[in-house]
Amino acid sequence: MSSRLTVVVSMLAVCTAVTVGASMRADGDRASARDALLDDPRTMPRLRNESRARGVVEVTLTAAPATLSLAPGSPSAVYAYNGRVPGPLLEVSEGDSVIIHFRNALPEETTVHWHGLHLPFNADGSPFQPVPPGGTHDYVFRVKPGAAGTYWYHPHPHHRTAGQVARGLYGTIIVRAAKDPLPPMTERLLILSDNRLLPDGSFDFPARQTDGGRADAENGREGKLLFVNGRLMPTLEIRAGEIQRWRVINASAARIYRLSLSGHKLLHVGTDGGLFENPEEVDEILLGNGERAEFLVRGTGAPGTAVKLQSLPYDRYIPQTRPKDWQTPLDLLTLQYTDDRPVKPVSIPSKLRVIPALDTTLAKERRFIVMSQLLINGKAMDMARVDVTSSVGRTEIWEIENVVGMDHPFHLHGFQFQLLSRNGVPEKDRRWKDVVLVPKHETARFVVRFDSYAGKWMFHCHILDHEDQGMMGVLEVTPTGDAR
Ligand code: C2O
Ligand code: CU
């Protein structure tokens, strides 16, 4: 953590402690004042815009080794973006021109993938654009109007993604709307990640031939350390009556979160590609790897009380390698109500926006994608092979079938899609997605249109260990064709 931020944080903590005075929760208040800074997109560490030009965001990002204490105990030899885990927030607006000057100061090849953004092929940071150690790459793209939402960035080198993300390379992106339909309110941006460390602070990467190594390869690597913006079990504050807007990103290699806030219903308002058309009241939200959720937390609890955000048990495993304690709910953070008297809740519009439907009658092609354990359509990834060919402007229907007894989250680069049905049951609502979790033995069908950008685009399972073992394919979109 930079010393400047530390200073700001401790000053604020002192101020809070002073104002609170005789409160018995002075220590808790100090901690939550610090947490509030790190979870609020307005005050969390961010990439500094070096451009003065209107509508231009120009930033510098470096991936380098660092030594950081991720958890109490010995510090770890991590990989970090600009010295931080998670990396600093990239905040942009719809229509902005974005230039990211990236430098790879790691001892190995890497890339930066801007997960979920619609951008030109050479800005995608896929395995097709490796940046060698000591190398640089400028990622240049324009943020699509209508793309307001929550995204994230992470490395994507062929066969090495899981290890680099586990060592600390992941960061948040917010795309701001030209006009946001939700009223202003306290916002939280929470990136979830899990890990396993050995007592000396090093990362627990068991050898492939061991039981642990085999379980990681099969399940994807999970850990008991559950990080929220890089912290274990932080405390967030809410005032009774207040409504907060939470944006949550699943950056875990393999853990799927079934989010629940005890005693509270959640107002689910958005997903990968931004807000829904209509808010939906739910008891819990299932978040697959790479997926994002936006939801409103309504402060219906009493002043001074506290609740926990948990991940409830979710069985994504085959019986042979299912962890013994999979049924234990996991605590992610504490939501502490302040002692202040309740405020009157702001009112939330019942219609958030209109999402134009992709026209399925224009679909030129119907693709069948079969996901089995570590394979897509029976094949492992080959960089020299193209698995699906299409052209710019085409609309297609993709049907993803998971034929095995383990969940696989399917992700497509470059183009967001609209889910049409799951297991033949039509979706109720139209939403922009770039990951669809396909549970064991289920199918998902979506419509996608290959707008604007030709190139080679990856599609893969977002369990990073599966992706690294080749559960990935290549879609080539050619520039010409009967575009519409
Ligand atoms: Cu978030 Cu191809 O990945
Ligand atoms: Cu998978």
Side-chain angles (χ1 to χ4, degrees):
M1 189 181 283
S2 90
S3 51
R4 197 168 64 89
L5 185 91
T6 315
V7 171
V8 174
V9 166
S10 45
M11 273 169 49
L12 196 110
V14 169
C15 297
T16 313
V18 169
T19 1
V20 173
S23 163
M24 297 189 35
R25 298 205 327 269
D27 279 333
D29 286 335
R30 198 168 302 145
S32 55
R34 188 183 57 228
D35 285 341
L37 278 176
L38 292 175
D39 302 317
D40 183 335
R42 289 169 309 183
T43 46
M44 64 172 44
R46 61 174 52 224
L47 290 166
R48 194 175 60 83
N49 188 0
E50 295 152 20
S51 170
R52 288 284 176 82
R54 218 186 124 86
V56 177
V57 174
E58 186 169 5
V59 299
T60 301
L61 186 70
T62 302
T67 305
L68 287 177
S69 287
L70 297 179
S74 308
S76 307
V78 305
Y79 284 174
Y81 286 124
N82 292 5
R84 300 178 174 284
V85 176
L89 165 67
L90 172 65
E91 187 172 18
V92 297
S93 295
E94 291 179 346
D96 278 354
S97 293
V98 183
I99 307 150
I100 296 135
H101 302 290
F102 173 67
R103 191 164 65 84
N104 179 10
L106 301 172
E108 57 179 300
E109 179 180 294
T110 191
T111 77
V112 192
H113 172 57
W114 312 92
H115 180 120
L117 294 181
H118 178 58
L119 33 63
F121 171 59
N122 64 3
D124 189 39
S126 83
F128 285 114
Q129 300 99 11
V131 184
T136 60
H137 187 86
D138 284 350
Y139 296 93
V140 180
F141 54 90
R142 183 161 177 265
V143 183
K144 184 178 156 182
T150 310
Y151 301 83
W152 62 300
Y153 59 94
H154 64 79
H156 215 306
H158 199 25
H159 299 308
R160 306 188 65 87
T161 298
Q164 292 191 5
V165 174
R167 286 180 164 83
L169 296 178
Y170 59 94
T172 53
I173 305 174
I174 291 183
V175 175
R176 295 281 171 198
K179 197 173 172 311
D180 200 311
L182 287 170
M185 61 182 94
T186 299
E187 248 185 81
R188 310 276 191 200
L189 175 58
L190 309 170
I191 188 163
L192 307 181
S193 133
D194 62 334
N195 221 321
R196 291 201 311 264
L197 298 175
L198 297 172
D200 67 355
S202 65
F203 293 98
D204 179 12
F205 292 123
R208 186 61 211 268
Q209 308 72 23
T210 61
D211 283 353
R214 268 191 293 271
D216 283 358
E218 184 80 14
N219 292 342
R221 183 173 173 273
E222 288 184 323
K224 288 280 151 55
L225 296 169
L226 301 172
F227 294 98
V228 178
N229 294 346
R231 286 153 310 141
L232 301 169
M233 215 37 211
T235 297
L236 274 52
E237 277 192 348
I238 192 167
R239 185 168 175 177
E242 187 191 356
I243 303 183
Q244 296 188 350
R245 178 176 185 173
W246 289 18
R247 302 165 180 265
V248 182
I249 304 166
N250 182 356
S252 279
R255 187 177 292 289
I256 291 175
Y257 296 87
R258 195 180 140 208
L259 299 173
S260 143
L261 187 63
S262 42
H264 291 64
K265 288 198 181 288
L266 305 173
L267 197 63
H268 198 180
V269 292
T271 179
D272 305 342
L275 295 175
F276 298 158
E277 293 196 313
N278 310 297
E280 187 187 5
E281 184 159 87
V282 295
D283 289 313
E284 53 185 64
I285 294 174
L286 191 65
L287 204 57
N289 314 90
E291 279 188 301
R292 287 85 70 204
E294 271 190 68
F295 53 88
L296 305 185
V297 172
R298 289 159 298 179
T300 48
T305 59
V307 288
K308 286 189 169 60
L309 180 74
Q310 287 189 312
S311 182
L312 301 178
Y314 178 71
D315 182 11
R316 65 179 187 86
Y317 312 95
I318 52 170
Q320 295 87 314
T321 50
R322 183 188 292 134
K324 287 196 180 52
D325 55 354
W326 74 273
Q327 290 190 77
T328 314
L330 303 168
D331 293 344
L332 297 170
L333 60 85
T334 302
L335 183 64
Q336 173 73 52
Y337 280 89
T338 65
D339 293 328
D340 305 318
R341 68 189 156 67
V343 288
K344 191 166 165 291
V346 292
S347 75
I348 303 301
S350 56
K351 186 87 188 170
L352 298 173
R353 64 164 171 168
V354 174
I355 297 177
L358 293 177
D359 187 350
T360 51
T361 66
L362 298 177
K364 286 278 166 63
E365 210 64 67
R366 185 159 172 215
R367 312 277 182 191
F368 293 93
I369 306 283
V370 175
M371 296 198 289
S372 53
Q373 197 62 3
L374 306 178
L375 301 174
I376 291 191
N377 288 350
K379 296 185 193 126
M381 169 70 187
D382 179 349
M383 295 283 290
R385 188 182 68 223
V386 168
D387 298 280
V388 176
T389 308
S390 189
S391 54
V392 168
R394 282 208 176 195
T395 301
E396 297 192 355
I397 308 264
W398 286 38
E399 182 154 339
I400 319 295
E401 181 169 3
N402 178 356
V403 296
V404 292
M406 172 178 280
D407 290 17
H408 295 286
F410 180 89
H411 172 51
L412 173 65
H413 283 213
F415 312 94
Q416 290 197 324
F417 48 82
Q418 295 175 354
L419 211 54
L420 296 171
S421 62
R422 284 181 179 273
N423 308 312
V425 181
E427 285 289 288
K428 292 195 302 281
D429 253 316
R430 209 157 26 243
R431 295 166 180 187
W432 287 114
K433 295 287 298 166
D434 51 64
V435 176
V436 55
L437 177 63
V438 190
K440 37 184 94 161
H441 300 296
E442 294 199 8
T443 61
R445 205 162 57 91
F446 63 73
V447 56
V448 60
R449 190 174 63 207
F450 303 126
D451 284 325
S452 313
Y453 300 126
K456 287 185 177 174
W457 305 95
M458 326 303 298
F459 52 87
H460 59 88
C461 173
H462 215 292
I463 292 178
L464 300 181
D465 311 79
H466 293 179
E467 169 189 331
D468 280 347
Q469 290 171 84
M471 196 167 172
M472 181 152 72
V474 176
L475 156 72
E476 177 161 26
V477 176
T478 61
T480 51
D482 38 275
R484 41 164 139 193

